[in-house]
Amino acid sequence: MSGVMEIRSICCIGAGYVGGPTMAVIADRCPGLQVTVVDLNQARIDAWNAADLSQLPVYEPGLDAVVGRCRGRNLHFSTDVDGAIAAADMVFLSVNTPTKTKGIGAGQASDLRWIEASARQVAAAARGHTIVVEKSTLPVRTAAVIQTILGAAEGDTPAGRKSFSVLSNPEFLAEGTAIGDLEAPDRVLIGGEDPVAIEALAAIYSHWVPPECILRTNVWSSELSKLTANAFLAQRISSINSIAALCEATEADVREVARAIGADSRIGSKFLKAGPGFGGSCFQKDILNLVYLCRHYGLSEVADYWEAVVNLNAWQQHRISALVVRQLFGTVTGKRIAVLGFAFKADTNDTRETPAIRICGDLLEEGAQLAIFDPKVSAEQMALDLGQQPGQGEGVWQKVADPLEAVRGADAVLVLTEWQQFAELDWQQLAAVMRQPAWLFDGRAICDAGAARAAGLKVWRVGEG
Ligand code: NAD
Ligand code: UGA
């Protein structure tokens, strides 16, 4: 292709945490563009179309306002996948790419069945020239697979000539801040070989992203940059958590260390918060994918290096649950423990790979009675994640309505998510209804430790010696 290609209609396959918010912001910023987000999951599409904007399937601050402005105008949610592909000049693939659970590469490689299925659907349903954009996070060289599938469908058809260009355009938004990240991205990355396709996509982002923030690379660099960005971010968390453990052993304070090293502009101050380890759907899966790729290319030392980041993360989570058991006189059997926060970070309802799963799992295994409070996570989701229904007895959990109910009769409070409301808890009120001696284990260092101590609680804060 040569010249300029004007995009009038785009389709996004996958109405999840990335597809929904990303397309909503594109529709908001490009009123002249028709944007249709499609998914096989009827319930999810129904929720995106819900009249009550508080019922959208993804909780993200500010998302409801953006969807409210565009939905029905130039933003549509539908299960008519073929129809939306046929009408589109550009199709984004934003489907899930989880870690394979069986077969070759199980536990490390990405499961590409959904990306392949959606590429085949595009190959079959597209008309004319279609730009296909990888939005999902993919192993480097996946574009070649997509190109091969699409290439087999190219040529003359009764509806005219069919052809494709493939681009990589990974997404860097973080949950909880997705709208701000999409509206003011540090950068937009476009990888590809076809300059017309690259400029057509860049033109969309140019509606609101400054030109110097739109980076163009070859397609392999783009795919690999996404895995590398997540690996570097996760590595910082494992690094600071490793130092947190050393701080606890040496009377140093990890927040003071983080401030001191973060003041060095070469290190920078962000992503240095010690905690219960990283969760979320992507860090672990993307690093394991990187590890798998490195082993595939015979780079076993490189693979070991990155695998250590994931291993340290699991160790940090087991370390916290073991510490709780140890401080509660070596046994939590039959003891009530209040767990504050279940989401993998604040301001999201997402629990994928949340540290709470492993830490609560360990405590249930030890026979604890967990009273779990999270402002956004449902009991149904907790049951799925913990692999057991709420119950009575030993090694059981229940979801409670507020922190006060959680701590009633509890021997300990364990804070796992940094919801702002946990910074404002009234420790006199909470301590008064706990069984003494009682503990606050603050895995996020978000609570007012002074107030908790003044109320008579023993306090452990991550990374505080
Ligand atoms: P998700 O599971 O929330 O959404 C994916 C959606 O795709 C699901 O609703 C699923 O039903 C749909 N789907 C799968 N196959 C389909 C098909 N053939 N046709 C139609 N719909 C289909 O996943 P997500 O969190 O949005 O992540 C999507 C991709 O983006 C992943 O590769 C992920 O690594 C990447 N990513 C995620 C984030 C994040 O914050 N969640 C950030 C950056 C990148
Ligand atoms: C992360 C990246 O930040 C995004 O750039 C990327 O697009 C996304 O993964 C993805 O590919 O899915 P996300 O997982 O949504 O975004 O959220 P983060 O803010 O990165 O937090 C990840 C985990 O690290 C959370 O459990 C968080 O609590 C933890 N974290 C983060 C810390 O423990 N300490 C920190 O200093 C920062």
Side-chain angles (χ1 to χ4, degrees):
M1 290 280 295
S2 62
V4 178
M5 183 174 173
E6 196 199 339
I7 306 297
R8 293 199 184 83
S9 171
I10 67 179
C11 158
C12 174
I13 305 182
Y17 283 85
V18 169
T22 307
M23 293 302 128
V25 169
I26 289 181
D28 197 27
R29 297 304 171 122
C30 308
L33 200 59
Q34 286 298 318
V35 180
T36 305
V37 190
V38 293
D39 205 294
L40 300 171
N41 182 332
Q42 181 74 53
R44 213 165 209 194
I45 291 298
D46 289 347
W48 280 111
N49 283 322
D52 176 357
L53 289 168
S54 72
Q55 299 304 311
L56 296 181
V58 169
Y59 172 70
E60 213 29 90
L63 176 64
D64 50 354
V66 178
V67 171
R69 279 198 292 276
C70 313
R71 202 177 55 186
R73 179 190 76 184
N74 66 329
L75 175 65
H76 315 279
F77 295 94
S78 164
T79 51
D80 178 11
V81 181
D82 285 348
I85 293 171
D89 307 309
M90 183 180 276
V91 178
F92 289 77
L93 307 181
S94 190
V95 299
N96 36 318
T97 52
T99 304
K100 273 183 89 171
T101 53
K102 53 186 179 183
I104 298 168
Q108 289 193 332
S110 288
D111 191 339
L112 296 180
R113 75 177 92 168
W114 293 277
I115 205 83
E116 180 177 335
S118 49
R120 285 184 188 280
Q121 207 155 356
V122 175
R127 297 189 177 189
H129 184 70
T130 308
I131 299 172
V132 177
V133 182
E134 296 176 345
K135 186 51 106 175
S136 298
T137 302
L138 296 167
V140 59
R141 301 206 70 84
T142 305
V145 175
I146 295 175
Q147 186 68 65
T148 305
I149 292 170
L150 297 173
E154 281 184 329
D156 291 322
T157 73
R161 193 167 171 73
K162 191 189 281 206
S163 60
F164 299 97
S165 289
V166 179
L167 299 177
S168 160
N169 172 223
E171 184 47 59
F172 296 100
L173 68 81
E175 290 178 29
T177 54
I179 300 302
D181 295 342
L182 288 164
E183 289 181 339
D186 286 350
R187 78 318 207 171
V188 163
L189 180 57
I190 302 176
E193 310 305 328
D194 172 1
V196 175
I198 293 171
E199 294 318 312
L201 181 55
I204 293 177
Y205 286 110
S206 302
H207 280 90
W208 77 99
V209 179
E212 64 275 16
C213 296
I214 302 179
L215 310 185
R216 296 158 177 85
T217 65
N218 80 36
V219 68
W220 319 123
S221 303
S222 174
E223 289 177 333
L224 186 54
S225 297
K226 174 61 195 177
L227 295 183
T228 307
N230 275 358
F232 270 57
L233 289 168
Q235 181 202 43
R236 277 174 80 92
I237 301 171
S238 281
S239 296
I240 201 69
N241 284 340
S242 73
I243 298 302
L246 187 57
C247 286
E248 290 169 30
T250 57
E251 295 189 16
D253 183 328
V254 76
R255 278 153 295 282
E256 292 182 350
V257 174
R259 184 154 51 94
I261 65 167
D264 185 326
S265 60
R266 293 169 303 174
I267 296 176
S269 59
K270 292 182 182 166
F271 253 71
L272 287 178
K273 287 205 185 84
F278 55 78
S281 63
C282 293
F283 279 173
Q284 176 171 307
K285 119 177 135 58
D286 292 347
I287 295 180
L288 292 176
N289 186 1
L290 196 63
V291 167
Y292 182 74
L293 283 169
C294 293
R295 294 237 157 85
H296 173 80
Y297 288 106
L299 301 168
S300 59
E301 286 78 4
V302 184
D304 293 346
Y305 174 75
W306 288 108
E307 197 165 28
V309 171
V310 174
N311 293 343
L312 194 119
N313 196 53
W315 175 80
Q316 172 78 346
Q317 293 167 5
H318 291 307
R319 182 174 88 82
I320 290 176
S321 46
L323 182 139
V324 170
V325 174
R326 196 166 60 247
Q327 297 297 4
L328 296 182
F329 310 114
T331 174
V332 294
T333 306
K335 288 181 182 167
R336 182 175 170 102
I337 298 175
V339 176
L340 300 188
F342 198 85
F344 82 97
K345 62 185 281 193
D347 292 324
T348 178
N349 59 347
D350 196 344
T351 63
R352 291 178 289 181
E353 304 293 340
T354 177
I357 297 175
R358 199 171 270 141
I359 296 172
C360 291
D362 285 350
L363 295 172
L364 290 170
E365 185 76 21
E366 292 286 334
Q369 295 179 356
L370 304 182
I372 308 176
F373 167 73
D374 188 288
K376 288 290 171 196
V377 180
S378 67
E380 293 72 28
Q381 188 59 49
M382 290 176 189
L384 281 173
D385 290 331
L386 295 173
Q388 67 181 77
Q389 292 299 320
Q392 306 290 323
E394 286 173 6
V396 294
W397 68 275
Q398 57 173 301
K399 182 184 156 145
V400 297
D402 57 56
L404 185 61
E405 190 188 340
V407 304
R408 200 176 292 283
D411 288 29
V413 188
L414 172 58
V415 179
L416 295 181
T417 312
E418 74 284 22
W419 288 103
Q420 182 52 32
Q421 61 176 275
F422 301 154
E424 291 148 19
L425 292 169
D426 177 344
W427 287 102
Q428 290 293 343
Q429 185 193 33
L430 298 185
V433 300
M434 296 179 72
R435 185 169 85 156
Q436 302 299 329
W439 275 89
L440 163 62
F441 298 103
D442 188 354
R444 295 282 186 171
I446 184 166
C447 299
D448 183 342
R453 286 196 183 97
L457 299 187
K458 296 170 188 290
V459 176
W460 170 85
R461 299 175 91 205
V462 64
E464 188 175 87

